[in-house]
Amino acid sequence: MVDYFTADTHFGHSGIIRLAKRPFRSVEEMDGALIEAWNDRVGPEDRVFHLGDFCFKGSKRAQSVLERLQGRIVFLKGNHDTENTAKLPRWESVHDILEVTVEGARLVLCHYPLLEWPGAWRGALHLHGHTHGAIAPNQGRGDVGVDVWGYRPVRLEEIKARLEGATPFHPSDNYAFRAGD
């Protein structure tokens, strides 16, 4: 079993092609390419953490897409996901935020980027979606959305390699107050 991470697939969302400058001519072409890229990487026994914005409005399309995707899927709800989508039986589990250990690394998963998260001071990584690559990663936080990773799920080792070259993470940088001030 291999673990993968992804977000912001926006299956069925024609507007995301323009908004995120995706290289597809139609929503059908985009959905087909995303499904193919997913299944080229993910095997039936692999686990995928999908960090939100799976499908734009509506569980009918979500259900039909889910039937075509390989792997076991842990779903974290995004702002474009409906309650009907969250209730689909195909998900292994559904969360708003999730703390999990993968390959020995403590991870905090959420659709939204957080300024600080549990364990940030002790090396926990925060993976998110939502921003479509619009904010720079740092050594503690990274966007796992398809727009950042070639429209495919990504492994933790790939994420860690990219974060190593990012700005160092210092949680105290998020605050104007410093001890002694």
Side-chain angles (χ1 to χ4, degrees):
M1 177 194 78
V2 177
D3 287 309
Y4 292 95
F5 302 86
T6 194
D8 301 311
T9 46
H10 285 263
F11 289 109
H13 187 185
S14 61
I16 201 66
I17 296 169
R18 178 183 49 79
L19 292 169
K21 297 179 176 70
R22 292 184 178 180
F24 306 109
R25 294 181 302 259
S26 68
V27 73
E28 292 77 19
E29 180 184 352
M30 178 183 73
D31 287 1
L34 291 171
I35 292 167
E36 182 178 345
W38 179 301
N39 289 336
D40 280 349
R41 290 208 99 192
V42 177
E45 298 304 315
D46 294 337
R47 179 172 58 175
V48 179
F49 293 91
H50 192 293
L51 278 59
D53 286 359
F54 179 78
C55 182
F56 187 70
K57 293 184 182 177
S59 59
K60 282 189 179 181
R61 181 180 288 269
Q63 181 59 42
S64 67
V65 168
L66 279 168
E67 290 170 0
R68 297 173 60 192
L69 295 175
Q70 295 193 121
R72 302 169 16 240
I73 308 170
V74 175
F75 180 55
L76 288 98
K77 296 180 281 187
N79 56 300
H80 288 289
D81 298 308
T82 66
E83 282 304 311
N84 286 338
T85 298
K87 291 178 183 175
L88 290 170
R90 173 73 161 78
W91 309 121
E92 186 170 282
S93 59
V94 177
H95 311 270
D96 290 311
I97 189 167
L98 177 65
E99 291 185 54
V100 64
T101 300
V102 173
E103 298 173 22
R106 181 177 176 190
L107 306 176
V108 178
L109 310 177
C110 183
H111 177 64
Y112 305 99
L114 305 172
L115 286 176
E116 193 164 316
W117 51 93
W121 292 81
R122 292 176 181 83
L125 299 177
H126 168 47
L127 305 181
H128 65 87
H130 189 65
T131 62
H132 298 267
I135 62 171
N138 62 44
Q139 288 180 355
R141 180 195 68 232
D143 186 341
V144 297
V146 295
D147 299 295
V148 177
W149 293 97
Y151 308 103
R152 61 178 175 73
V154 62
R155 294 195 54 190
L156 184 58
E157 65 189 28
E158 297 171 278
I159 298 164
K160 288 168 106 175
R162 185 173 288 178
L163 295 182
E164 283 177 13
T167 303
F169 174 69
H170 299 286
S172 61
D173 290 345
N174 295 328
Y175 302 101
F177 174 80
R178 302 280 189 264
D181 286 353

